[in-house]
Amino acid sequence: MPLTALKPVADLRDRLREATLSAHRQLDGLLAGGLADVATYHAYLRGMHRFISDAEAVLDEPPLRSLWLSADLVALELPPLPPCGRLQRATGAEERLGWRYVIAGSSMGARLLRRDAQRLGFTAQRGARFLDRHAIDGEWPAVLQQLAQAALPPAREALLVEGAHDAFAAAEAGLRRALLLDDVP
């Protein structure tokens, strides 16, 4: 077999994307119709606020995106979802990068959802500050660069995947609660 016929080994980003594809699809499926109406948008804001607040705690980072979401909740007079359970801080760099991969990657979806929010009448000045800012926050290229530069042995790569899975699960849990798909308040 000629060398050109060999399939190249996937890079770390491709392996991470493949390892989390099911979790990503499951989360996306909760908003398969986008932000079709005001009630869905309200649920999205509440669910994302819970997820981002939890993520900032897990990563031990100062609030930024959660403040944008808090401003949207206040503007629309929506109560935040209360925390559910205890969070454990991400301790290793790989686990933290897995969480950042999910958070930064959600900015790609925010670009599409921002259009839906605008169609519903929400703007950066009225209830869509998070989507407006998150869609352009620029963290995604930095995360991709970190992934491109990382050379992880299998055990450390497993921690990266675990962090991303934990982040997808937290995002899904927050959105499911906000969409009233789970019994947890």
Side-chain angles (χ1 to χ4, degrees):
M1 173 185 308
L3 289 178
T4 56
L6 295 175
K7 184 177 178 181
V9 175
D11 64 15
L12 181 58
R13 176 188 176 193
D14 291 338
R15 291 191 305 274
L16 180 57
R17 184 181 329 145
E18 182 66 28
T20 59
L21 186 60
S22 176
H24 194 170
R25 284 185 178 156
Q26 196 164 319
L27 177 60
D28 283 351
L30 294 176
L31 291 175
L35 302 174
D37 53 47
V38 171
T40 303
Y41 181 60
H42 287 179
Y44 166 79
L45 285 177
R46 294 180 74 220
M48 280 302 289
H49 179 263
R50 180 73 273 137
F51 165 59
I52 293 296
S53 296
D54 290 349
E56 289 169 345
V58 165
L59 295 170
D60 198 23
E61 294 181 345
L64 174 62
R65 290 175 186 86
S66 64
L67 292 177
W68 300 338
L69 283 154
S70 292
D72 290 340
L73 293 178
V74 168
L76 301 176
E77 300 178 3
L78 298 171
L81 290 175
C84 185
R86 290 194 105 164
L87 298 171
Q88 291 188 347
R89 288 201 163 88
T91 55
E94 296 81 12
E95 185 182 3
R96 295 171 64 79
L97 182 56
W99 275 83
R100 285 197 183 95
Y101 169 80
V102 174
I103 296 164
S106 72
S107 69
M108 308 307 284
R111 294 174 186 172
L112 299 172
L113 295 176
R114 180 174 57 176
R115 288 185 218 137
D116 288 350
Q118 289 169 341
R119 182 183 43 75
L120 294 170
F122 299 103
T123 65
Q125 295 75 35
R126 185 185 164 273
R129 178 179 296 177
F130 169 74
L131 283 174
D132 190 65
R133 292 187 179 175
H134 188 46
I136 60 169
D137 75 3
E139 187 180 0
W140 183 237
V143 168
L144 293 180
Q145 184 175 10
Q146 281 184 282
L147 289 170
Q149 294 174 345
L152 302 177
R156 289 181 53 205
E157 187 171 318
L159 294 172
L160 171 72
V161 171
E162 182 180 331
H165 272 288
D166 290 347
F168 274 119
E172 181 181 349
L175 192 52
R176 289 183 65 81
R177 285 177 59 206
L179 289 167
L180 303 177
L181 299 174
D182 290 340
D183 293 330
V184 180

